[in-house]
Amino acid sequence: MTDVDPESILVQVVFAPDAGAPLPDVIRELEDVLEVMDFALFLSHGDVVRWDNGGGRGQVRLARLDHGTPVTVDIELVMSGGLGLTHGDALAGVAAAGAVLLTAARSGSPADDPAAPASTDDPVPTARQVDADAERRVVEAMERVAYDARGTDLAWRIREAEEQNVTAADGTLGKGLRFVRAAGRLSRNDGFDFRME
């Protein structure tokens, strides 16, 4: 960070694992939440602005973890004007990431669609099929949010992230792929919610 006074945004994410969920499961979901917040910072100003301002990108800090039912986590996004990241920019990025998450979470699976044809012969989907369906809903939500933001840098950054959906030769996952997988897992949680101040 620089010597510029930081500003912060407090984000609260609520996810609802089974009552008495083991702490390791909660921590795995917390890692998904932190991945989403990292993506929100990317949407806030993108890599170009970040590197133009010396490589800074703000910080994601865990402010509070309530291991109750549901599990609630408060995350503080700390940024500095000296890093090219303003409070308004960060708020737009967080709002976009939250809109993607909530849209995907509320879209439900095809089985939840009353217009979908009912069949008792359908096999039980595998865990990978369930993951793939959730990830598809996240990508659709990203496209919807990007369309709503068309003509802006935010829309361009979402499109850029969508293109980063491969694994590099060294095993590094693309930014978009990391977000889609994390958001897909979070969006399947009953009682999921996302609030910011």
Side-chain angles (χ1 to χ4, degrees):
M1 300 297 286
T2 66
D3 58 358
V4 177
D5 290 335
E7 297 182 39
S8 64
I9 294 175
L10 184 65
V11 180
Q12 184 175 80
V13 180
V14 177
F15 48 102
D18 295 335
L23 190 56
D25 292 349
V26 172
I27 290 172
R28 272 192 296 274
E29 292 190 332
L30 178 58
E31 289 172 351
D32 287 337
V33 170
L34 294 176
E35 187 66 56
V36 168
M37 290 300 99
D38 186 66
F39 182 74
L41 282 177
F42 168 74
L43 292 183
S44 298
H45 61 351
D47 287 334
V48 173
V49 173
R50 175 162 62 100
W51 290 115
D52 283 349
N53 287 276
R57 64 178 304 164
Q59 297 177 4
V60 180
R61 296 180 183 165
L62 178 63
R64 184 182 67 87
L65 173 64
D66 180 1
H67 184 212
T69 304
V71 175
T72 303
V73 61
D74 290 347
I75 296 171
E76 187 178 15
L77 298 184
V78 181
M79 71 284 313
S80 169
L83 300 179
L85 180 61
T86 67
H87 188 275
D89 291 337
L91 195 59
V94 172
V100 170
L101 277 171
L102 291 175
T103 300
R106 292 171 181 159
S107 65
S109 66
D112 298 333
D113 184 0
S119 173
T120 57
D121 299 330
D122 291 339
V124 175
T126 65
R128 184 59 208 139
Q129 288 170 326
V130 171
D131 288 344
D133 183 58
E135 291 167 15
R136 177 188 53 77
R137 289 196 311 271
V138 171
V139 171
E140 289 172 356
M142 288 173 74
E143 292 170 354
R144 188 177 306 170
V145 171
Y147 180 79
D148 289 343
R150 61 193 177 279
T152 67
D153 286 344
L154 177 61
W156 182 84
R157 289 181 195 127
I158 293 172
R159 296 295 187 204
E160 180 186 9
E162 282 184 303
E163 293 172 1
Q164 298 180 21
N165 61 0
V166 296
T167 303
D170 64 359
T172 303
L173 298 179
K175 183 189 315 294
L177 184 58
R178 291 194 319 265
F179 169 73
V180 167
R181 288 183 176 175
R185 288 186 292 264
L186 287 173
S187 68
R188 293 197 321 260
N189 290 343
D190 293 334
F192 175 82
D193 201 4
F194 182 99
R195 296 183 284 268
M196 61 186 166
E197 297 177 6

